[in-house]
Amino acid sequence: MKKLKFALLFLSSIFMFSCGGDGDTSTKHEVAKKTDDASKGAGSKEISITSAEMERGSQIFFDKCAGCHGSSRKGATGPSLLPDGDGKSPATKALGTAGIKVFIEYGTPGGMPEWKGILSDEDIELMTRFLQVDPPPIPPFGIDKMKDTWKLKVPVADRPTKPQHKRNIDNYFGVIMRDAGKVAIIDGDTKEKLVVLKTGFAVHILRTSASGRYIYSVGRDGRITMIDTYTKVPQIVAEVRAGLDSRSVEVSKYKGYEDKYLVFGGYSPSHIAIFDAQTLEPISVTPTAGKACDGDHEFIEEARVASIVASHTDPVWICNVKERGMVDIVDYTNPKKPKITEIPSARFLHDGGWDSSEKYFLVAANASNKVVVIDVPNKKLVKIIDTGIKPHPGRGVNIKNKWGNLWGTSHLGENKISFIKTNPGKGQWTVVKEIKGSGSGGGSLFVKSHPKSHHLWLDRTLNPKAELNSAVDVFDTRTLELVKTLKAPEGVDGRAVHFEYNKAGDEVWVSYFMGKKSAIVIYNDKTLKVKQIIQGDWVENPTGKFNVYNTTHDIN
Ligand code: DHE
């Protein structure tokens, strides 16, 4: 309910632009023109939609569909959804109400989930009409708007200069409760919940400052929240809205710049924004719109910033511009006017992580079924490698065995983990080994290992089969054989998603979400036995978990 209220509030700000802000729920918006051409199918009927329905449709679209189809419905991982089509995907008006309904209700083999049973019949009917009218424009969100939303709750001078407790901050975990819009901070040594903080709508990821003191969250409402771990109970010390929709945030990690700057990647509007990492005061905004990597001369307005990582060898961030397939190397030594080197690669860039030397960054171009390798110190493209259908590595996994130093990714579109050799010698930057998880079909979102472990963990979160999406596979990193498939423990249900190791590398934390009994399940990484199950009213659909030490040092 709270989520709904927030989304409506958020959307009312958007619709001030598209509907004139009149809030007139009785006005009919006859957006799609009537056509007599019967060959255009059910879409030949006139479509009308009220302002209130437009608002609700946009809220549903923003919440459930924009991630794949793009905020302006021009398509990304999923096809475009425009009334008159775009030359590549069919016009939604031609698909018509009945055609669209089938897609929404039953999904597609290409990875679109079934929404029947998740969306009400009423909402599905509304979406069939919403998708046949023009999408509302995305309002601007510049630095002045950011400054208006900036709240410095505890100025730097009023913060403690050393920890006010004896706990081990390095082994703190930040856990995202996506649907509640909250982040829990858990002491990884004692497993105590220290605090649950309200951080904004659908928080997506967390990052820690280079010193490990601060935890930053970012979510689908474009809000960045800064949490201080030095106080007895971790507390929010600053927040700012940097856009309307986002998925990533990162800090400066290069020597001399620790805890100095923070970068935000905007999905909507599409921009790179830089902030003071101590206060979250906005410093600069650079739009990412431009031409695509592959010579397509179309100017791409919706050029969303997907994953971002901070280099340890240079004062730069690597920001991946999704729709354009551009890897932007952002030099933050002059944050007011950052120097950006664009490296054309492949579309659509999504998530990725470092190889074990932390010099090469590997990122999934999921619409091209490829992984792109960037030599960060030399700011150049090394290779674009075919891996499988829709690679989705998270930050990927680094392991070492007889095949070499390997970086691995699982896939959304097929049951495969591909391993790319990263060390010099024969086979470098090629796929040297592929393995399968249990059962069939893809749907994996994340893989994980740790330098001190001989295990590699695989989830199958989006696989349609409940026995697969609720279980995790564990492999031996030396042989790459499947060791065990771990089913959800008794008293836990939902889909298993995302892994995080503790600092020592001997425990693995797994989230269970989208079920009736969500939980964080902690496994002993050696014995693969359940060590502890964290449940309770406050554990609401946990998703990402971020150990302070591992996140700060990019242990993946
Ligand atoms: Fe994510 C990482 C975008 C759906 C949980 N997700 C990322 C990153 C991006 C991204 C760009 C990389 C951030 C980085 O490393 O800088 N995710 C998107 C989407 O656009 C998408 C496909 C659809 C959407 O509307 O958001 C999407 N993601 C999901 C989910 O459904 C998940 C499972 C739950 C949720 O929050 O909705 C989910 N994404 C995560 C997590 C990470 C992540 C836990 C961080 C992984 C890590 O270990 O770093």
Side-chain angles (χ1 to χ4, degrees):
M1 194 60 205
K2 274 185 200 147
K3 181 176 131 190
L4 188 72
K5 264 196 207 150
F6 180 84
L8 282 170
L9 246 173
F10 164 75
L11 282 151
S12 54
S13 68
I14 291 183
F15 283 95
M16 292 282 285
F17 296 81
S18 59
C19 303
D22 60 8
D24 175 11
T25 54
S26 63
T27 316
K28 293 270 179 194
H29 286 245
E30 294 179 2
V31 191
K33 289 207 178 75
K34 192 173 176 172
T35 157
D36 294 319
D37 183 355
S39 68
K40 289 193 176 157
S44 58
K45 266 206 283 170
E46 183 181 329
I47 301 295
S48 65
I49 189 161
T50 65
S51 300
E53 286 174 331
M54 194 68 188
E55 209 165 301
R56 169 130 189 95
S58 295
Q59 176 224 315
I60 296 167
F61 187 84
F62 165 75
D63 190 9
K64 308 264 194 271
C65 325
C68 295
H69 298 281
S71 307
S72 51
R73 296 189 359 215
K74 287 190 180 152
T77 326
S80 68
L81 297 170
L82 299 169
D84 298 309
D86 63 353
K88 290 176 212 146
S89 309
T92 51
K93 279 194 298 187
L95 275 174
T97 306
I100 297 173
K101 189 165 177 241
V102 173
F103 280 115
I104 299 178
E105 291 195 334
Y106 301 106
T108 66
M112 172 157 161
E114 307 164 11
W115 292 103
K116 196 174 170 62
I118 299 175
L119 289 177
S120 68
D121 290 349
E122 231 181 7
D123 281 345
I124 290 176
E125 190 281 324
L126 167 60
M127 293 313 282
T128 61
R129 285 183 291 124
F130 174 80
L131 294 175
Q132 293 179 74
V133 302
D134 288 326
I138 298 168
F141 201 103
I143 199 153
D144 290 344
K145 195 118 186 189
M146 292 179 198
K147 282 183 180 159
D148 289 347
T149 67
W150 175 44
K151 285 189 202 132
L152 181 59
K153 298 191 170 198
V154 184
V156 178
D158 297 346
R159 296 180 200 161
T161 51
K162 53 181 197 284
Q164 304 297 291
H165 54 80
K166 298 234 155 18
R167 292 180 188 271
N168 174 14
I169 294 173
D170 269 357
N171 203 30
Y172 276 14
F173 283 71
V175 178
I176 294 172
M177 250 77 69
R178 182 192 66 174
D179 294 348
K182 293 175 186 164
V183 168
I185 310 295
I186 300 177
D187 180 332
D189 288 352
T190 63
K191 317 288 186 281
E192 286 166 88
K193 173 198 71 182
L194 301 179
V195 69
V196 177
L197 298 164
K198 281 193 170 183
T199 44
F201 172 65
V203 183
H204 210 80
I205 68 156
L206 306 181
R207 288 281 193 263
T208 50
S209 63
S211 67
R213 170 178 183 166
Y214 297 110
I215 298 174
Y216 302 90
S217 75
V218 75
R220 284 194 180 85
D221 56 356
R223 193 193 313 183
I224 309 166
T225 305
M226 176 178 182
I227 301 164
D228 187 1
T229 61
Y230 272 13
T231 43
K232 207 156 183 229
V233 175
Q235 69 174 88
I236 295 174
V237 290
E239 60 183 37
V240 68
R241 256 187 102 186
L244 301 167
D245 190 8
S246 61
R247 299 291 181 281
S248 193
V249 77
E250 182 55 293
V251 294
S252 51
K253 290 189 176 171
Y254 186 59
K255 210 163 172 277
Y257 290 90
E258 296 95 334
D259 294 20
K260 226 173 151 76
Y261 303 124
L262 174 139
V263 64
F264 163 95
Y267 254 30
S268 174
S270 301
H271 59 215
I272 291 167
I274 302 180
F275 297 81
D276 180 323
Q278 293 286 323
T279 61
L280 295 186
E281 183 175 7
I283 298 176
S284 68
V285 184
T286 310
T288 47
K291 302 259 166 69
C293 60
D294 47 17
D296 182 338
H297 295 300
E298 183 201 351
F299 187 83
I300 300 175
E301 199 65 54
E302 188 170 10
R304 300 180 289 176
V305 182
S307 50
I308 307 180
V309 290
S311 167
H312 297 264
T313 59
D314 296 271
V316 299
W317 292 300
I318 296 92
C319 298
N320 296 285
V321 184
K322 191 186 263 294
E323 283 78 5
R324 294 179 57 214
M326 289 286 184
V327 178
D328 281 6
I329 311 256
V330 181
D331 180 330
Y332 50 71
T333 50
N334 179 7
K336 284 195 178 156
K337 236 179 161 214
K339 188 171 164 237
I340 301 183
T341 309
E342 294 216 301
I343 304 176
S345 62
R347 300 204 241 181
F348 295 118
L349 298 177
H350 193 69
D351 50 352
W354 293 105
D355 81 317
S356 55
S357 74
E358 294 191 335
K359 288 196 175 124
Y360 297 94
F361 175 69
L362 294 96
V363 58
N366 55 20
S368 336
N369 304 326
K370 294 178 194 312
V371 164
V372 170
V373 185
I374 301 291
D375 172 346
V376 173
N378 294 306
K379 297 186 181 162
K380 64 172 202 217
L381 175 73
V382 175
K383 190 120 185 245
I384 299 177
I385 305 163
D386 286 300
T387 62
I389 306 171
K390 291 198 180 140
H392 195 284
R395 283 171 278 173
V397 71
N398 281 303
I399 59 171
K400 198 174 172 176
N401 55 28
K402 64 178 178 189
W403 291 279
N405 292 353
L406 309 182
W407 181 92
T409 179
S410 58
H411 293 82
L412 256 172
E414 65 178 306
N415 182 12
K416 191 203 274 186
I417 309 179
S418 302
F419 294 98
I420 294 167
K421 182 175 163 179
T422 62
N423 55 315
K426 191 169 170 258
Q428 192 189 22
W429 309 127
T430 62
V431 174
V432 290
K433 181 82 184 153
E434 291 175 345
I435 58 172
K436 279 183 188 305
S438 54
S440 61
S444 172
L445 292 179
F446 300 108
V447 279
K448 197 82 184 172
S449 189
H450 187 280
K452 293 197 182 126
S453 167
H454 288 304
H455 284 147
L456 181 156
W457 296 66
L458 168 79
D459 66 21
R460 304 287 282 284
T461 317
L462 297 184
N463 192 293
K465 293 181 200 116
E467 71 270 22
L468 291 181
N469 67 41
S470 62
V472 297
D473 285 338
V474 185
F475 299 85
D476 188 315
T477 55
R478 294 159 294 190
T479 60
L480 295 180
E481 299 288 333
L482 178 66
V483 178
K484 206 169 183 181
T485 298
L486 301 164
K487 294 191 172 149
E490 202 152 316
V492 172
D493 73 8
R495 295 181 184 226
V497 69
H498 195 247
F499 309 101
E500 180 61 303
Y501 274 86
N502 61 343
K503 185 190 173 195
D506 57 12
E507 273 174 12
V508 175
W509 295 35
V510 186
S511 301
Y512 276 84
F513 81 143
M514 288 171 75
K516 290 205 178 76
K517 297 170 200 154
S518 50
I520 303 154
V521 179
I522 305 174
Y523 287 96
N524 178 321
D525 182 62
K526 274 211 166 65
T527 63
L528 304 185
K529 296 238 158 33
V530 173
K531 199 164 171 182
Q532 192 162 331
I533 298 177
I534 302 180
Q535 268 175 320
D537 290 352
W538 61 274
V539 185
E540 296 173 71
N541 278 331
T543 49
K545 304 155 296 299
F546 300 82
N547 172 273
V548 167
Y549 184 86
N550 295 340
T551 308
T552 303
H553 297 276
D554 291 289
I555 310 281
N556 56 318

